[in-house]
Each structure stands twice: as C-alpha cells, then as structure tokens.
Amino acid sequence: MLKKKSIIILSTLMLAAFIPVKTDAAVTTKNVQALYNNIKIMYNNSLVPTDIEPFIINGTTYIPVRMMAGVFNKNVTWDGTTYTVGITDKDDPRITSLQAEIAQKDAKIKDLEDQLEKEKQKNDKSDIDDELADLEDDLNYDYGDYKGLDWKISLSGDEDDIDVDIEIDLDEYEDDYNDLSTSEKERLVENICKDIWDKFKDADIRGSIIDSYGDDELHDFNGDARSGDIEFDGDTI
C-alpha cells in the first residue's frame, strides 16, 4: 500500500468533492497528479479537523469546501444535475441573540424617549398655561375698568393660537356699553392684541366681546401674527 506522500492519480469525480470546475467549461475527463503531504488547516491557531485530507495539484492546495464552510459558518449544497456548489450564510445564534437584545434595548430606549417627550410637553403646556394666566391677570389689571366699565378678559390656547373672551355684563352696563363708539371698542381690542403679541409674538388671535348676562356674542375679532393685521367684525382696524 502506497503512503499518502506518494503521487496518486485522481479522477475528475474525486476532484468534484473538493472544487468544481466552471459550469461553462467543456465536459471532459483529465488525469491529474495529486500530492498528499499531511497538509494541516489552522484557523485562529487551532487545527481544523477534516475527514478528507487536503492535497496539492500543480502547486495549488485543494481543501474540502464543506470543511471550510463549517469554519466560516456557511451552508453548502451540491446540485448533481447542474454540477453546482451552493454556498449561503448560516444564521449565527450568537448574532441572533445579540440582535434580539439590541431590539429590546432599542424598544426600551424608544419607550423612555416617548415618556421624556410626554413629560416635556406636559411641562411646556404647564409653562404656557402659567404664562397665559399671568398675561390674563395683567390684561384684566390694565383694561378691567376700560372706559369705566367692568370688563373680564379670559385667555386660552397655546403659543401659536390664543382665544380671547372679553366679557361685559349688559344687565348692569348696557347703557354705558351702548355709549361706546365703535372706535373705542376697536381700541380696546387692538390694545389687548398688541399686549398678547408682546408676550406671544407668533400667536394668531381669535376673540369675541360677549354679554356675560345673556351669553351673547356682541362682536368678534381676529389678529394675524404674521401681518399684524387686526379685524373687528370683519373690518381691518
């Protein structure tokens, strides 16, 4: 029996178990000389075991595809009809586990970010409410006795849109209210809108003068923050 170091003539069938020929090459049979020389495969300084010993042909070392696929965590298939070796990635359970762990942490981070955003919005809304309340107090202080009448000014909304109610009790002040000219009412509305814009420059304003006794709307007005225009009953002041 010859030793493994001796030259052995291999058939093409034997070579197919290692490296296939190109699929577009002509079908032929060749006799080749393969040198077995106790070739070892080391991966990260560790010996890779194999049932089929690597060999050398014309200075090129041939090793089993399936063995190397196992080293690099690949799937290997053989199609005997088309003489095709198929190599695909194999799922690495360590990577899958890490991906699942990352997904859990991402979900936790997203949840914390959502909670933080909600708290931020809550705090922002609380700050806006406080600022509106302070401005409301200032407006009532400045215009609560405009032209000797008792006015009540209420604000609601946010930094972009503010609703204004200017209330007057016509059961008590009807005659005095009717004595006010349109320009005097417009001046009250204009002053209130400008004071609001001093605090909230980007806020569009929508408001009404209301009879608090009969709960009736007497006049409506709007203020456009971008243009600075103020309309009273549809006419620009």
Side-chain angles (χ1 to χ4, degrees), residues 27-45:
V27 178
T28 184
T29 300
K30 295 182 180 180
N31 292 330
V32 295
Q33 291 182 328
L35 175 63
Y36 287 87
N37 196 22
N38 195 27
I39 298 171
K40 298 180 179 62
I41 304 299
M42 306 292 292
Y43 179 67
N44 288 337
N45 297 321

Side-chain angles (χ1 to χ4, degrees), residues 44-56:
N44 288 337
N45 297 321
S46 297
L47 180 65
V48 179
T50 177
D51 295 334
I52 302 175
E53 183 180 347
F55 54 85
I56 299 172

Side-chain angles (χ1 to χ4, degrees), residues 95-236:
I95 294 177
T96 302
S97 177
L98 287 173
Q99 288 174 334
E101 185 176 345
I102 290 172
Q104 289 178 345
K105 292 185 181 297
D106 286 344
K108 183 64 175 177
I109 291 172
K110 181 63 168 59
D111 183 56
L112 291 173
E113 288 177 341
D114 290 344
Q115 292 181 32
L116 184 61
E117 181 62 25
K118 288 180 180 178
E119 288 299 320
K120 181 178 180 300
Q121 291 178 358
K122 187 186 299 183
N123 291 335
D124 289 345
K125 183 63 170 65
S126 178
D127 291 341
I128 294 298
D129 289 343
D130 289 343
E131 291 179 12
L132 282 174
D134 291 341
L135 179 57
E136 184 177 282
D137 290 340
D138 292 340
L139 293 175
N140 279 288
Y141 179 82
D142 292 336
Y143 308 107
D145 59 352
Y146 180 73
K147 297 299 179 179
L149 281 66
D150 187 13
W151 306 86
K152 181 182 178 182
I153 302 166
S154 303
L155 303 179
S156 61
D158 54 36
E159 67 271 24
D160 297 317
D161 295 283
I162 294 178
D163 292 328
V164 183
D165 286 338
I166 306 174
E167 296 180 273
I168 184 74
D169 184 354
L170 292 191
D171 184 50
E172 184 175 355
Y173 295 102
E174 183 174 5
D175 292 338
D176 293 328
Y177 179 80
N178 289 334
D179 287 341
L180 292 177
S181 65
T182 299
S183 62
E184 287 174 325
K185 297 172 186 176
E186 289 178 343
R187 191 174 304 114
L188 172 62
V189 168
E190 182 178 16
N191 290 338
I192 290 175
C193 287
K194 287 182 177 180
D195 285 357
I196 291 174
W197 282 331
D198 284 342
K199 190 71 175 180
F200 300 96
K201 64 179 181 179
D202 297 323
D204 290 325
I205 300 170
R206 181 177 61 245
S208 301
I209 297 178
I210 300 171
D211 171 17
S212 59
Y213 177 73
D215 197 25
D216 296 323
E217 181 179 293
L218 306 173
H219 303 280
D220 66 81
F221 58 90
N222 295 280
D224 187 304
R226 178 174 298 181
S227 65
D229 291 338
I230 301 171
E231 290 186 354
F232 186 84
D233 286 343
D235 295 325
T236 302

